[in-house]
Amino acid sequence: RGIEIAIRRLLEQDHFAGGSLQELLLAEVESGAASATYLGEFAIQRSGRLIRCEEWRFTVQRTREGWAVLKTERGRCND
């Protein structure tokens, strides 16, 4: 759940500022001692449009406060 919150915050505040995440599907593809990488698909509502995105990669790491997204590799979107 903490990973989803960190990715949601990143998408809504940085990549799609002002957007509202509607759907998020994550699949863990790689896990190490310090971090994990997830492949994601999502839909985000912004400026009256629903934008669907797929094949995004998020590398996350556990911190004292929860989870932090270390790296994002953009995939495709229909915008």
Side-chain angles (χ1 to χ4, degrees), residues 19-65:
S20 174
L21 194 65
Q22 303 295 309
E23 301 170 17
L24 177 62
L25 299 171
L26 296 173
E28 187 173 350
V29 292
E30 185 179 319
S31 183
S35 64
T37 301
Y38 288 84
L39 183 62
E41 294 182 16
F42 58 91
I44 192 159
Q45 184 82 33
R46 186 175 77 171
S47 301
R49 289 187 57 215
L50 186 64
I51 301 167
R52 295 195 178 276
C53 300
E54 57 187 25
E55 295 186 13
W56 282 53
R57 290 184 180 268
F58 304 96
T59 301
V60 297
Q61 180 177 29
R62 185 171 259 318
T63 65
R64 290 182 192 172
E65 297 80 29

